[in-house]
Amino acid sequence: MTDESGHGKGALTRRGFLKTTGGAALAGVAAGGLFNVPQKAFGADMPNNWDEQVDVVVVGSGFAGLAAAIEAKQAGASVLVLEKMRVPGGNSIINGGVFAVAGSAKQEAEGIKDSPELLLADMLKAGLNLNHVQLAKLVAEKSREAVEWTQSLGVEYREKVVHLGGHSVPRSWSTHNSSGSAIVQKQIEKTKQLGIEIRLQSFLTAIIQDASGRVVGVKVREKYRFPAQDSGTVKHIKANKALVLAAGGFSADMYFRTLQDPTLTEKVDTTNQPGATAEVLLEALRIGSTPVQISWIQLGPWTSPDEKGMGVGYVFNAMAGFVEGVMVDPTTGKRFINELADRKIRSDAIFRTGHPSVTIADSRGVKGVHNLERSLEVGVVKKFDTIESLAAEYKIPPVALQETINLWNGFVEQRKDEQFDRYMQKDQQTIAVGPFYACRCWPKVHHTMGGVQINDKAQVIGLNRKPVPGLYAAGEVTGGVHGAVRLGSCAVTDCIVFGRIAGQHAAKA
Amino acid sequence: MMIQRTSEFFRRLAIGIGLAGLVSFPTLILCHGYISVHADTPTLSSPSGGDCQACHKSTMVPADHPKTSGMAMPDCIACHKQETPSLGNRMPLSHTHLLNGVVCRDCHAEIDPAGYVDKGTCMTCHKPQDLLIATRDVRPANPHDSHYGPELDCDLCHHVHAPSENFCNQCHAFGFTIPSPIIIR
């Protein structure tokens, strides 16, 4: 970089920046793969003057970023949180608000036996043993401590744990509003109390290293207006101690996600907010962070084609249809998969049928669906007096559907699913008491398991197999914790556990 | 973009100031003496009242409409209630602000370029807690009481110099409309 006036019209655009400094690197990616990228000389981006300095810069204002910011500040560091969007919270603030906790008092109260070892085993099974075990183990072991930390911030949870797909037992805590916003809002409150600034519309365009390769700061565009790459003004912020990357995944990055999984074209919707894009991940790779399992991209099976994005119907599917009811293929009226299998197994099974499936629960099964009224109002969940009228609406063969329900009800009475061996809830009830409710399912892109490699201190590991000095990462921007498939409610746990670890170590870096 | 256009306007203005006859007087003499709006955007003629015809000619205001110069928002509302053609979704927020006596300087500390306004500026008049109550019956969700909390940037939905938009609908498909503003051209 030669011209670094930094402000106003003279500032180089991101595209210009790539052309002048990273063009060779990009050509390297195209021609020889990531590992042959010619590294830029360390210190090449160093500005003559820093506009501002702070001990710890955190990129991203979701669960992980805010947890890191709070811990770093409490450990004595000055902290600045950068968020590229015009709203805080990233995907976390629109997330479903379920938190995997292994071995809690809530479980004990219901007589459910659980342990960190069992959660780890579940994570490894769903993750096809691609998980970096040391990282996954930390998440399982610290899950209880992590949820208690959020309680100390004032986050309220429902009384009963919920059972999500792929977990051996019900263990997930659900926030009082079934939304991650319940956690993020309390984290934001805490940052205000601690005097931590969350600076919106601040977009990271370069990670700056000194001559030794230590990360010493960032180049950002302030007053940035997503997605206009050239908007805002360039500023250089020095990170005296460390930079924490908590920028999330890339489910909404059409270019990069289709590059990793060409089947996930624009025809497949996403649950993610529009800012779930890959720029920070790519910048971390550009400076030599090690990529881990970037092409494992997860679809959520509980989303509905009858609404945009995450929508509201997932609550009915996850809390009622898959747990208290059944899911059927509308052309046959039959169940086709264990409704509590992991997300990949369910999503793949739905895709294999070639059309949206239908979940069904009765009036007793919907008790945990806090947003039922809104879901009915939006029209994504529908209500019927009889199974016949439900079958007619979705063009399901009515006799076959009634047979499926009778079969399931028999399994419930004998407390054994002889068809798919689905877990029986302690208070599992039959599907028998109207009105009946139903929702269509069609998977949407939900989570990107891969990202940069980290160690148990949340240090980013470089291609030289050593930690990149001054660089930490946590949450969806990292890879390894979840392996091939993330279990539902493990993302929140991962983000809080590693966000806190990153903040604690960054403050001492 | 808009800002650049303003600069361009100033350049053209400097050259052509002597040719003011090319542009009608009210489009040059603007709010409180500041020329702050964009060359191609019709503007109100004074902060104390709206001379609609000066900018809109007969295309916007019917020929038999009472003369509007000197009128303020309460005067407009006196006739434009629900029954008669409502102004609620027709007049840009720039117009309703000015007709309520809020001039450019009240929101924009800098006029050239007039940058984006911080939500704190809006909140000096519009209190989040009042808005939360005002829209509590909006279905299917109260837009001022969302998972984002009560203090979102107002400009995510309510644009003053451009058509407003429903920010919720980047993820949802809510049917409610933002009460304001299509730009009248």
Side-chain angles (χ1 to χ4, degrees):
Chain A
M1 303 297 290
T2 48
D3 173 15
E4 280 301 337
S5 57
H7 295 282
K9 288 165 197 159
L12 289 175
T13 63
R14 171 70 173 162
R15 185 167 293 177
F17 163 69
L18 282 175
K19 262 186 207 154
T20 52
T21 67
L26 287 185
V29 173
L34 273 170
F35 296 96
N36 296 331
V37 172
Q39 292 271 318
K40 231 172 44 172
F42 291 141
D45 282 323
M46 192 71 73
N48 292 327
N49 295 299
W50 296 97
D51 294 291
E52 188 176 347
Q53 58 177 310
V54 67
D55 292 339
V56 176
V57 173
V58 177
V59 179
S61 65
F63 296 130
L66 295 177
I70 291 166
E71 288 292 344
K73 179 77 182 184
Q74 287 177 331
S78 59
V79 179
L80 172 64
V81 179
L82 304 175
E83 166 58 56
K84 79 168 179 233
M85 301 303 281
R86 299 180 64 198
V87 294
N91 276 328
S92 303
I93 207 165
I94 62 170
N95 129 313
V98 275
F99 199 134
V101 184
S104 67
K106 285 184 195 297
Q107 289 176 310
E108 283 157 26
E110 293 180 47
I112 299 163
K113 286 204 173 72
D114 195 14
S115 65
E117 291 72 32
L118 187 58
L119 172 55
L120 177 62
D122 289 347
M123 289 172 75
L124 298 180
K125 184 183 173 195
L128 303 179
N129 287 303
L130 295 184
N131 318 58
H132 291 197
V133 179
Q134 185 191 23
L135 303 180
K137 190 161 177 266
L138 259 179
V139 170
E141 283 172 353
K142 288 181 173 287
S143 62
R144 187 163 173 168
E145 180 191 319
V147 82
E148 285 168 358
W149 180 78
T150 66
Q151 286 182 299
S152 77
L153 301 180
V155 180
E156 291 172 39
Y157 295 89
R158 292 175 199 281
E159 190 187 333
K160 292 186 74 170
V161 288
V162 295
H163 193 178
L164 302 176
H167 291 275
S168 304
V169 291
R171 64 161 66 99
S172 304
W173 292 33
S174 184
T175 58
H176 70 88
N177 62 351
S178 295
S179 166
S181 63
I183 299 169
V184 175
Q185 294 293 356
K186 291 295 179 189
Q187 288 182 298
I188 290 174
E189 258 182 56
K190 188 69 182 177
T191 59
K192 281 182 183 166
Q193 282 171 22
L194 293 171
I196 301 167
E197 182 188 355
I198 301 172
R199 194 173 295 169
L200 302 179
Q201 294 180 254
S202 298
F203 175 50
L204 180 142
T205 59
I207 296 171
I208 302 172
Q209 294 167 284
D210 68 12
S212 74
R214 188 182 205 286
V215 171
V216 291
V218 290
K219 181 176 165 187
V220 300
R221 283 188 167 272
E222 292 202 339
K223 302 285 179 191
Y224 167 78
R225 289 177 85 86
F226 176 85
Q229 297 284 312
D230 300 344
S231 58
T233 51
V234 173
K235 204 168 167 183
H236 295 89
I237 303 171
K238 189 162 187 280
N240 288 326
K241 289 178 185 291
L243 170 65
V244 178
L245 303 179
F250 56 87
S251 288
D253 192 318
M254 200 54 66
Y255 169 78
F256 194 63
R257 103 178 182 204
T258 317
L259 198 63
Q260 302 305 324
D261 183 343
T263 66
L264 301 179
T265 64
E266 70 287 342
K267 287 180 184 160
V268 188
D269 196 2
T270 178
T271 60
N272 285 210
Q273 53 102 10
T277 47
E279 302 95 339
V280 172
L281 171 61
L282 294 175
E283 179 60 12
L285 296 181
R286 183 187 69 79
I287 69 155
S289 308
T290 306
V292 174
Q293 300 162 354
I294 290 183
S295 61
W296 282 99
I297 300 177
Q298 171 176 87
L299 290 95
W302 18 247
T303 46
S304 171
D306 300 322
E307 61 183 343
K308 282 165 73 177
M310 189 83 176
V312 293
Y314 73 91
V315 179
F316 170 84
N317 288 327
M319 304 293 179
F322 293 160
V323 187
E324 307 291 342
V326 291
M327 170 165 68
V328 300
D329 177 344
T331 60
T332 63
K334 290 180 177 166
R335 291 173 71 210
F336 58 96
I337 196 74
N338 175 355
E339 293 90 341
L340 284 175
D342 75 43
R343 287 173 173 171
K344 181 165 177 57
I345 291 172
R346 284 179 291 177
S347 292
D348 288 352
I350 297 169
F351 277 143
R352 271 199 304 275
T353 70
H355 44 254
S357 56
V358 178
T359 55
I360 299 163
D362 77 358
S363 59
R364 299 174 300 185
V366 296
K367 290 216 171 78
V369 185
H370 81 285
N371 69 350
L372 185 62
E373 194 189 338
R374 182 182 294 182
S375 300
L376 289 166
E377 205 171 331
V378 170
V380 62
V381 176
K382 289 183 162 56
K383 183 176 172 180
F384 305 91
D385 290 331
T386 62
I387 293 293
E388 293 75 36
S389 53
L390 186 154
E393 170 70 24
Y394 296 103
K395 300 187 169 54
I396 307 172
V399 176
L401 180 60
Q402 191 58 60
E403 279 170 8
T404 295
I405 290 172
N406 293 345
L407 188 64
W408 170 254
N409 287 347
F411 295 157
V412 171
E413 274 154 21
Q414 70 191 41
R415 294 200 56 75
K416 172 77 182 163
D417 172 10
E418 286 178 3
Q419 213 174 353
F420 296 108
D421 199 24
R422 185 171 120 201
Y423 180 93
M424 284 289 163
Q425 305 299 317
K426 292 217 177 297
D427 54 356
Q428 190 84 48
Q429 301 199 70
T430 55
I431 303 168
V433 181
F436 302 94
Y437 299 83
C439 182
R440 298 204 308 157
C441 293
W442 190 246
K444 299 180 186 179
V445 180
H446 186 60
H447 188 95
T448 52
M449 266 72 62
V452 295
Q453 184 192 357
I454 55 167
N455 63 13
D456 60 355
K457 296 186 177 73
Q459 290 174 296
V460 173
I461 307 301
L463 293 173
N464 61 358
R465 307 185 197 180
K466 292 178 186 159
V468 179
L471 187 61
Y472 295 78
E476 200 178 343
V477 78
T478 70
V481 172
H482 307 288
V485 176
R486 176 174 71 75
L487 284 181
S489 75
C490 283
V492 185
T493 316
D494 171 22
C495 288
I496 299 291
V497 167
F498 274 105
R500 293 184 68 204
I501 290 173
Q504 289 159 1
H505 286 88
K508 293 178 202 143
Chain B
M1 177 184 66
M2 295 291 258
I3 292 166
Q4 284 163 357
R5 215 185 294 159
T6 307
S7 305
E8 173 58 20
F9 174 55
F10 274 106
R11 270 194 294 281
R12 275 193 280 146
L13 184 67
I15 296 163
I17 195 81
L19 307 171
L22 292 177
V23 188
S24 67
F25 187 70
T27 62
L28 291 177
I29 305 305
L30 301 163
C31 343
H32 273 198
Y34 290 101
I35 301 169
S36 64
V37 287
H38 320 299
D40 57 350
T41 305
T43 56
L44 294 178
S45 56
S46 84
S48 58
D51 185 357
C52 304
Q53 288 90 342
C55 292
H56 294 296
K57 309 295 180 217
S58 56
T59 57
M60 200 59 64
V61 186
D64 57 351
H65 192 281
K67 196 158 173 50
T68 59
S69 55
M71 281 190 184
M73 202 63 199
D75 305 313
C76 306
I77 293 169
C79 293
H80 289 277
K81 293 177 182 148
Q82 292 303 325
E83 307 80 45
T84 58
S86 168
L87 289 178
N89 288 322
R90 302 198 62 204
M91 197 140 49
L93 289 181
S94 56
H95 288 45
T96 55
H97 278 82
L98 198 57
L99 285 166
N100 278 307
V102 179
V103 300
C104 312
R105 271 272 181 209
D106 289 335
C107 301
H108 297 284
E110 296 295 331
I111 302 295
D112 180 30
Y116 290 104
V117 168
D118 185 80
K119 71 181 179 208
T121 306
C122 309
M123 287 176 186
T124 55
C125 296
H126 305 283
K127 301 296 177 199
Q129 58 269 34
D130 296 342
L131 297 169
L132 196 147
I133 293 167
T135 54
R136 64 185 163 195
D137 295 326
V138 171
R139 309 303 295 175
N142 182 348
H144 294 122
D145 185 21
S146 76
H147 46 82
Y148 282 109
E151 291 182 10
L152 273 191
D153 190 345
C154 311
D155 179 46
L156 287 167
C157 294
H158 305 280
H159 305 319
V160 175
H161 304 290
S164 286
E165 61 184 301
N166 188 337
F167 179 74
C168 303
N169 280 3
Q170 72 174 8
C171 293
H172 298 282
F174 292 158
F176 56 74
T177 54
I178 312 300
S180 90
I182 44 173
I183 287 282
I184 301 170
R185 289 193 184 276

